[in-house]
């Protein structure tokens, strides 16, 4: 709510800043512009924290370490909002965005989900940081989409 006076355009982007992704911002924007809802959230499949085994008759037939989950979506932390979002916010510094405004938007059918099935990883823990740094050091991190000069 405190940034409202700085927003000059009809819509704006917001991210939590702790997610790493190969999300196309252009595609997200195109999706947001295709509907009339106030908000768009990026829906992602979370990576599993554990490996997954498939077992047939006590024999492991497939073993995959930390696969990308393909069931269900979570909030990926990349949003586009119309300026009308500010009417859902209050001046309270303790405003809980997920348990207030986003829930109300969803109840009113004013929250659309842009489904991103590509790479997404949170960096919430030291383990996440180490895994992402190792991916970066590999030279081919999944989220890098630019060419070095």
């Amino acid at each position: 709510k405190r940034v409202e006076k700085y927003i000059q355009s009809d819509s704006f982007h917001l991210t939590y800043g702790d997610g790493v992704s190969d999300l196309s911002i252009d595609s997200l924007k195109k999706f947001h512009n295709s509907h009339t809802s106030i908000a768009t959230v990026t829906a992602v499949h979370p990576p599993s924290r554990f490996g997954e085994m498939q077992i047939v008759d006590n024999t492991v037939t497939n073993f995959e370490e930390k696969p990308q989950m393909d069931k269900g979506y979570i909030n990926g932390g990349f949003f586009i909002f119309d300026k009308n979002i500010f009417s859902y916010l209050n001046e309270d510094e303790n405003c809980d965005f997920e348990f207030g405004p986003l829930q109300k938007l969803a109840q009113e059918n004013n929250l659309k989900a842009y489904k991103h099935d590509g790479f997404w990883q949170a960096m919430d823990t030291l383990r996440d940081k180490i895994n992402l740094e190792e991916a970066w050091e590999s030279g081919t991190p999944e989220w890098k989409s630019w060419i070095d000069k």
Side-chain angles (χ1 to χ4, degrees):
K1 183 76 173 169
R2 288 177 268 160
V3 301
E4 182 175 9
K5 62 186 174 189
Y6 301 107
I7 304 297
Q8 302 297 313
S9 60
D10 291 334
S11 65
F12 62 97
H13 297 253
L14 178 137
T15 185
Y16 296 140
D18 64 350
V20 178
S21 180
D22 64 353
L23 171 71
S24 166
I25 299 297
D26 289 337
S27 296
L28 176 63
K29 184 176 181 178
K30 183 177 178 181
F31 175 81
H32 181 75
N33 291 337
S34 75
H35 62 74
T36 58
S37 292
I38 293 172
T40 296
V41 59
T42 300
V44 299
H45 296 292
S48 172
R49 289 191 57 209
F50 305 100
E52 179 179 61
M53 296 184 296
Q54 294 173 353
I55 302 171
V56 176
D57 296 326
N58 294 329
T59 300
V60 176
T61 59
N62 187 39
F63 184 91
E64 190 172 354
E65 186 61 19
K66 298 177 187 69
Q68 185 77 20
M69 302 296 286
D70 62 356
K71 298 175 183 160
Y73 285 93
I74 64 167
N75 171 1
F78 296 93
F79 302 89
I80 298 181
F81 294 110
D82 291 350
K83 286 179 79 169
N84 295 334
I85 186 65
F86 292 110
S87 66
Y88 289 77
L89 307 176
N90 59 47
E91 298 290 340
D92 182 6
E93 289 185 25
N94 296 319
C95 174
D96 194 335
F97 195 56
E98 290 81 10
F99 294 106
L102 290 181
Q103 285 181 329
K104 187 172 183 181
L105 286 166
Q107 290 166 356
E108 295 176 356
N109 295 321
N110 264 320
L111 178 62
K112 298 292 187 197
Y114 174 77
K115 295 178 181 176
H116 175 65
D117 293 320
F119 178 81
W120 179 88
Q121 172 68 54
M123 189 164 75
D124 295 328
T125 67
L126 178 58
R127 180 182 190 169
D128 295 336
K129 177 184 179 288
I130 291 168
N131 288 338
L132 288 166
E133 285 177 344
E134 286 175 355
W136 182 261
E137 292 300 323
S138 76
T140 56
E142 293 181 67
W143 65 89
K144 184 180 176 192
S145 59
W146 63 91
I147 299 172
D148 293 327
K149 293 182 181 185

